[in-house]
Amino acid sequence: MSIFSRCVRTFGQVNFDHCALRINDYKNAFSDGFNLYDSSGMVIFDGCYLRGVPNIGALVDKYHVNASSTRFKHVLRGKNYFWLGPMHQHFGHFLIGAISRLWPIYRHNVKDFIFVYSHGPEPRALFETDYTRSILGGIGISEDQIIKITDFVAVQNLRVVQPSMVENHSINKLFLQTIDRICVGLGVHRGDIRPSSRAVYVTKQLVTAGVRGILNEQFLAEKLRARGIEVRSPEQLSFAEQITFWNSYKGYMGFAGSSFHMSGFSKRSSFCTISHDRTASGNQVLLDYMGSKSHLYLHASQHISRFGPTSNFSEVMLLDNPDAFVDAVAECIALLESENTNLGQKISYEPKSLLVSAVPDEPFGENICRGAVESQSSQGHISTTNVDAPRSVGALSGALTGQYQISTGEEPFAWWQVDFSEACWIYEVRIFTGRNVMIEASGFRSFSIQTSLDGLNWTNIFVSDGAAEPVCATGELFRWSPNEDTFGRYIRIQALHEKGLLLDQVEVFGEPCVTRRL
């Protein structure tokens, strides 16, 4: 049996922005050497380095909401300047950060601007590094058109655009259109590349610094080669060659990382990545789904040991049983090479939750409770302001009330369940109890979540510990997601006491089991 399980949620939100993006021209905007402010001293968030985790905001330890404009060292005058934002040397951050602001720039108008940025290397160093030179040069920007701001500097005429991608939060189709223009500028015609029928394992073993390193990946790579599986290290290639590489195979597999962000440059391949925990990269999901890529996001968190930072990596990992990884990766490679074209996990293009503000990240799949059939062990009374109704409104009504909408009788092990009509992967269960549950004798302390394929035989997938305080102490959202692959046709919530069950709403996120289980 494979050691891999499906990732159940993303790191960050997944929003597909279909609106027109903003272009704003500022007079006498200024920078503190990292962030950007208007002439009144208010921060310009479109000019900051943005992120979506834990909440959308500027990714910098400190920034002023209202900065002093009296500290100018000098003023850039006379020309039209274009803001590129903070410039990061890390491959993934640069890839997203730079491309996300270049969408209004075409080769025919690139000479109309001088490009300014903060943070990061000097302009000469940018153009000495292959991937930064290729991305900027692919649009037509030359070294003599770019200026780095290092301290309080005002810009007389500055254009600031809304980024077409915000890390771990949102993406607009203009991001991929900018990639198309970069490829044309570099002379890489992806449509002319005929991919091999093979899948390839992408190794990180030659990466000497970054976010995560794998101590014994070399063993894995050697064993895979011995089985006839091709293993490649894309960082050995030039950036233009990497674009060709990411269009030359039917499928790609490897440990998740910035190199797989190059899937945005791929036209037609399938992907499979291994995460360090059950959470998939929000950036990767955004790129894949905007580009209509088929991607299977896996993890083997229970089979990986993780260690703290080193001088070169934020974290290093050790594969506890590398031979088991060899077997599991080989199985996935065979799946990528198969004729199965429905490999990828699904994520909704629409808002998922009844309470969006409560979830800083997203589950895979959709709310499979919509259109499903609910039932319960017995019928209690619904408490409302003025009426005791003799029937349940329903935990799938799609409206949060802050009160309970289903009530069983006071009986031992009361339950509520939902039938999806077919077996589904289960990625997350959300329970809203309603605030008035607190005044009821039962509370919400002891309960279980169960799954079943036939409605007769049940398996516990979660059991509360019966804590003194209710799990949802003030009616807030309770979220549960599995550590390993979980599926079923039915989900049941069962009280582990004799006082009945009270619920406001229930959401279950998943997708039909139409893909082969790894």
Side-chain angles (χ1 to χ4, degrees):
M1 182 176 176
S2 174
I3 61 173
F4 293 143
S5 298
R6 291 169 173 235
C7 291
V8 295
R9 63 176 59 158
T10 65
F11 182 73
Q13 296 184 1
V14 178
N15 299 298
F16 301 96
D17 185 357
H18 301 292
C19 300
L21 299 183
R22 295 182 294 271
I23 299 179
N24 290 308
D25 292 318
Y26 291 88
K27 295 290 186 181
N28 299 317
F30 64 96
S31 173
D32 60 2
F34 196 97
N35 291 309
L36 191 66
Y37 306 87
D38 64 20
S39 57
S40 69
M42 296 299 293
V43 66
I44 302 172
F45 275 97
D46 282 348
C48 296
Y49 176 44
L50 300 176
R51 62 166 182 192
V53 177
N55 295 299
I56 185 169
L59 184 58
V60 60
D61 290 338
K62 295 180 180 179
Y63 64 89
H64 303 282
V65 175
N66 194 333
S68 171
S69 60
T70 61
R71 298 172 57 189
F72 296 158
K73 294 294 180 68
H74 63 276
V75 179
L76 299 177
R77 302 179 185 276
K79 299 181 180 180
N80 294 319
Y81 293 90
F82 188 100
W83 182 250
L84 289 178
M87 197 74 73
H88 293 265
Q89 282 185 287
H90 179 273
F91 180 78
H93 290 315
F94 179 85
L95 195 70
I96 294 172
I99 293 174
S100 70
R101 299 180 193 276
L102 291 173
W103 58 267
I105 301 301
Y106 295 81
R107 296 187 73 86
H108 69 266
N109 71 345
V110 70
K111 299 304 180 184
D112 294 342
F113 296 98
I114 298 295
F115 296 86
V116 294
Y117 69 97
S118 64
H119 194 64
E122 298 298 321
R124 175 173 294 181
L126 281 178
F127 282 84
E128 288 175 348
T129 303
D130 177 69
Y131 65 86
T132 53
R133 179 179 65 249
S134 297
I135 290 173
L136 297 174
I139 288 291
I141 300 173
S142 57
E143 183 181 342
D144 60 1
Q145 284 182 271
I146 195 164
I147 297 172
K148 178 184 177 182
I149 292 177
T150 58
D151 208 334
F152 272 77
V153 174
V155 186
Q156 190 175 45
N157 300 299
L158 182 64
R159 175 159 293 182
V160 181
V161 303
Q162 180 184 355
S164 58
M165 181 172 176
V166 175
E167 289 202 19
N168 300 311
H169 183 267
S170 57
I171 191 170
N172 185 286
K173 64 181 180 180
L174 291 174
F175 188 90
L176 296 187
Q177 291 179 12
T178 307
I179 285 177
D180 292 340
R181 295 203 294 273
I182 291 171
C183 291
V184 171
L186 294 175
V188 181
H189 302 287
R190 294 170 294 168
D192 296 338
I193 302 172
R194 295 186 176 274
S196 162
S197 61
R198 300 288 305 277
V200 61
Y201 179 80
V202 179
T203 179
K204 300 170 69 173
Q205 62 179 316
L206 298 183
V207 177
T208 58
V211 178
R212 291 182 181 88
I214 306 169
L215 296 174
N216 53 346
E217 192 183 18
Q218 183 175 354
F219 173 90
L220 173 62
E222 290 173 353
K223 290 289 187 178
L224 291 174
R225 288 191 182 98
R227 294 195 182 194
I229 294 172
E230 188 170 354
V231 178
R232 297 289 300 274
S233 300
E235 62 273 3
Q236 293 181 302
L237 306 173
S238 70
F239 190 77
E241 290 170 338
Q242 286 191 47
I243 297 174
T244 299
F245 167 76
W246 289 100
N247 285 276
S248 297
Y249 294 86
K250 184 177 182 180
Y252 299 83
M253 183 175 185
F255 281 87
S258 297
S259 63
F260 273 89
H261 291 358
M262 289 294 291
S263 67
F265 286 80
S266 177
K267 279 288 190 182
R268 58 178 72 88
S269 301
S270 296
F271 300 86
C272 180
T273 49
I274 311 164
S275 294
H276 63 288
D277 60 19
R278 59 183 181 167
T279 303
S281 162
N283 290 335
Q284 191 66 58
V285 175
L286 288 167
L287 290 166
D288 293 336
Y289 279 87
M290 182 56 73
S292 301
K293 305 298 191 310
S294 174
H295 199 131
L296 192 56
Y297 306 89
L298 304 177
H299 75 94
S301 57
Q302 296 177 323
H303 304 277
I304 295 175
S305 296
R306 299 167 62 183
F307 305 96
T310 67
S311 57
N312 293 328
F313 293 97
S314 300
E315 182 180 65
V316 292
M317 305 186 297
L318 182 71
L319 311 182
D320 295 336
N321 185 349
D323 286 312
F325 273 88
V326 173
D327 293 336
V329 170
E331 184 180 358
C332 291
I333 291 289
L335 183 59
L336 288 169
E337 293 177 345
S338 73
E339 297 305 314
N340 190 342
T341 59
N342 192 14
L343 300 177
Q345 285 156 270
K346 185 175 184 179
I347 197 160
S348 174
Y349 281 77
E350 302 300 328
K352 294 184 177 60
S353 181
L354 294 167
L355 191 61
V356 176
S357 61
V359 285
D361 50 30
E362 298 281 8
F364 284 101
E366 295 183 302
N367 183 359
I368 53 178
C369 284
R370 292 169 182 159
V373 179
E374 61 182 305
S375 57
Q376 59 194 72
S377 58
S378 63
Q379 193 69 53
H381 285 258
I382 299 302
S383 295
T384 64
T385 304
N386 299 312
V387 179
D388 269 344
R391 62 182 182 83
S392 291
V393 176
L396 305 183
S397 68
L400 285 174
T401 65
Q403 300 181 347
Y404 55 86
Q405 298 189 64
I406 74 104
S407 170
T408 69
E410 291 192 4
E411 60 180 336
F413 304 107
W415 53 262
W416 172 93
Q417 69 184 39
V418 58
D419 178 3
F420 308 120
S421 77
E422 62 181 327
C424 294
W425 299 106
I426 306 300
Y427 297 139
E428 183 170 314
V429 178
R430 298 180 184 176
I431 302 173
F432 301 85
T433 62
R435 291 180 180 271
N436 64 355
V437 171
M438 281 297 295
I439 66 173
E440 302 291 340
S442 62
F444 202 62
R445 295 178 176 86
S446 299
F447 68 100
S448 65
I449 303 175
Q450 303 171 351
T451 185
S452 173
L453 286 170
D454 57 11
L456 300 173
N457 300 289
W458 296 87
T459 300
N460 285 331
I461 55 177
F462 171 82
V463 179
S464 68
D465 59 7
E469 291 296 323
V471 173
C472 305
T474 57
E476 71 269 19
L477 168 66
F478 169 76
R479 303 177 70 187
W480 174 87
S481 55
N483 289 318
E484 58 187 18
D485 283 347
T486 299
F487 55 94
R489 172 176 167 172
Y490 301 84
I491 286 287
R492 173 180 285 185
I493 299 170
Q494 185 166 41
L496 301 180
H497 48 68
E498 300 180 357
K499 298 178 181 179
L501 189 65
L502 307 170
L503 299 172
D504 184 349
Q505 289 290 284
V506 176
E507 298 176 310
V508 180
F509 295 89
E511 59 182 306
C513 293
V514 296
T515 58
R516 170 182 168 185
R517 187 182 185 196
L518 291 176

